[in-house]
Amino acid sequence: MANPLSPPILTEQPSFPFSRPTTPGLLDHRQVGFVGLGNIGYAMAKNLAQNGPNNVSNLQPPKVWNRTISKSEKLVQQVGKDKASIAGSLEEIALECDIIIVNLANDDVVRSVYSRFAEALKSAPPTKKKIFVETSTIYPSLAGDLDKLICSFPHTHLITCPVLGSAVVADKSQLTLIMSGDYPSKKEVANLLVPSVGRKALDLGGDLEKALTYKLMANSMVLGTMEILAEALTFADKSGIGGERVLDLVKDFFPAPSMINYAERMAHEKFDGNTGFAIDGGIKDATHIRRLSAKYNCPMPAIDVAHQHLITARAIHLKEKNEGKDVASTLDWSGIIAGTRAGAGLDGFDRNKDATVVEI
């Protein structure tokens, strides 16, 4: 019998659950393509270009593609033309690249891009291994549709690999990669991306939906935390305590970097989504989470409330934007606090407009 006073034995997922190649060669002469240069995607592509695997002598500079070409041009200028190049089209990515990493905003855009990949591959079916790496946060069942679309061609594989971490975390190559799908393909991609892009890989097995479900579960925790922070900050303002006291409380008793980051954004009204995560993405994720919770008969009332507050915040932001007010062009999802503030009878985004009223 174990000694009840002994410390518990912790079993931790290895930071790299795949074997490293014993000799160079796994990724030699492979051409990587990267599609989608949003805040996270840009950081991933930049770090891959600058910090590719040390054990690969002949990995080709990645080809990047983005709907807005200026982002591709910015990346190539930043890393150098010897480190990355701009693909002329999605079709070029599909036909000329061996590992194709996709990071896009929503399900519709992902589906559209893969349809173009498939049309390109019809004209020239692959003659060697080609891996599609889906890193976007999408509804899990979409992975099956993409798999049918892409893997009907010879030598092609799809893995899901959503990432955990903010844009700041991504910039520091500290993302966590969540991987599902074909094992050899996961191993090859993990050796490519860790540590150049991420600090850790989690292997969730062969079911493509598992990694995507895990990512949404993780996002539910972030979103639920933001909802609690927004409610606490609003309560503090209404009761006359003040939001700065809540920020101090978070730093002292809940010093997780993400909690401090979102508490500071809310307390200091830093709602620019161009440096964070756009609220449209937050509403999309909340919608997916609620759909999954219904599928599994697993109520998540905090997410239901957060979803309503995100929509309220977006509506307030759009109204102020249409009125010509000086607001961020894209609202960060920490703007959820506008929903809780509006529900409490306060101005959504400007605390200075509200005289502190202690209600008894």
Side-chain angles (χ1 to χ4, degrees), residues 184-195:
S185 298
K186 288 185 296 188
K187 175 179 175 178
E188 187 168 347
V189 172
N191 275 282
L192 172 69
L193 299 182
V194 179

Side-chain angles (χ1 to χ4, degrees), residues 293-336:
S293 72
K295 174 183 176 181
Y296 290 109
N297 295 318
C298 182
M300 300 184 77
I303 302 304
D304 294 337
V305 175
H307 182 251
Q308 294 171 22
H309 285 156
L310 285 170
I311 292 174
T312 300
R314 184 172 65 178
I316 295 171
H317 176 257
L318 182 61
K319 178 176 180 292
E320 293 188 354
K321 195 173 181 180
N322 289 338
E323 291 173 349
K325 295 183 179 179
D326 184 19
V327 296
S329 60
T330 301
L331 181 64
D332 183 78
W333 70 334
S334 61
I336 188 175

Side-chain angles (χ1 to χ4, degrees), residues 118-132:
E119 286 299 316
L121 294 177
K122 284 181 183 178
S123 65
T127 58
K128 61 179 181 177
K129 187 174 183 180
K130 190 180 294 286
I131 305 171
F132 290 84

Side-chain angles (χ1 to χ4, degrees), residues 58-74:
N58 296 308
L59 183 68
Q60 303 301 308
K63 292 177 177 284
V64 297
W65 184 91
N66 191 71
R67 182 178 59 181
T68 305
I69 194 171
S70 59
K71 288 189 175 182
S72 299
E73 292 170 341
K74 177 184 175 183

Side-chain angles (χ1 to χ4, degrees), residues 58-297:
N58 296 308
L59 183 68
Q60 303 301 308
K63 292 177 177 284
V64 297
W65 184 91
N66 191 71
R67 182 178 59 181
T68 305
I69 194 171
S70 59
K71 288 189 175 182
S72 299
E73 292 170 341
K74 177 184 175 183
L75 187 143
V76 172
Q77 182 179 19
Q78 182 176 359
V79 303
K81 293 182 179 180
D82 60 325
K83 294 286 188 179
S85 64
I86 300 174
S89 65
L90 284 171
E91 289 72 20
E92 179 182 334
I93 292 281
L95 296 175
E96 297 186 11
C97 296
D98 305 297
I99 299 175
I100 297 139
I101 302 169
V102 178
N103 188 276
L104 297 167
N106 59 60
D107 298 43
D108 290 340
V109 177
V110 168
R111 188 179 288 107
S112 174
V113 164
Y114 276 83
S115 294
R116 288 181 62 178
F117 286 158
E119 286 299 316
L121 294 177
K122 284 181 183 178
S123 65
T127 58
K128 61 179 181 177
K129 187 174 183 180
K130 190 180 294 286
I131 305 171
F132 290 84
V133 185
E134 184 46 59
T135 69
S136 315
T137 304
I138 55 177
Y139 192 73
S141 63
L142 178 55
D145 298 337
L146 302 180
D147 189 51
K148 292 177 184 176
L149 190 65
I150 289 298
C151 296
S152 59
F153 299 99
H155 309 293
T156 58
H157 300 271
L158 171 72
I159 66 169
T160 50
C161 183
V163 298
L164 291 178
S166 66
V168 173
V169 171
D171 192 58
K172 296 178 180 178
S173 299
Q174 292 294 299
L175 293 168
T176 296
L177 314 177
I178 313 163
M179 311 185 82
S180 291
D182 174 65
Y183 184 86
S185 298
K186 288 185 296 188
K187 175 179 175 178
E188 187 168 347
V189 172
N191 275 282
L192 172 69
L193 299 182
V194 179
S196 60
V197 169
R199 67 178 181 87
K200 184 174 184 177
L202 302 178
D203 182 8
L204 268 66
D207 184 344
L208 290 170
E209 294 192 13
K210 293 300 184 186
L212 298 169
T213 301
Y214 187 99
K215 171 62 188 293
L216 288 169
M217 180 274 295
N219 278 11
S220 76
M221 297 172 69
V222 176
L223 184 54
T225 298
M226 286 201 300
E227 172 64 25
I228 294 297
L229 287 172
E231 291 176 10
L233 284 159
T234 300
F235 181 42
D237 283 341
K238 287 285 293 207
S239 63
I241 292 172
E244 288 298 326
R245 296 288 189 178
V246 175
L247 184 54
D248 291 339
L249 183 67
V250 171
K251 291 178 178 179
D252 286 343
F253 290 95
F254 311 102
S258 60
M259 286 193 70
I260 294 174
N261 173 52
Y262 287 123
E264 286 183 334
R265 276 182 172 268
M266 292 180 194
H268 299 150
E269 299 176 345
K270 296 179 180 179
F271 299 126
D272 186 356
N274 292 309
T275 59
F277 183 55
I279 199 167
D280 284 350
I283 292 172
K284 178 260 297 180
D285 287 357
T287 302
H288 286 343
I289 294 164
R290 297 177 76 215
R291 183 179 169 190
L292 274 178
S293 72
K295 174 183 176 181
Y296 290 109
N297 295 318

Side-chain angles (χ1 to χ4, degrees), residues 233-239 316 337-351 353-357 359:
L233 284 159
T234 300
F235 181 42
D237 283 341
K238 287 285 293 207
S239 63
I316 295 171
I337 193 173
T340 64
R341 289 179 57 82
L346 301 175
D347 186 88
F349 293 111
D350 190 351
R351 294 168 64 196
K353 288 185 177 180
D354 297 301
T356 301
V357 177
E359 298 185 357

Side-chain angles (χ1 to χ4, degrees), residues 46-58:
K46 170 183 69 73
N47 289 334
L48 180 61
Q50 291 179 329
N51 310 313
N54 294 328
N55 63 336
V56 181
S57 57
N58 296 308

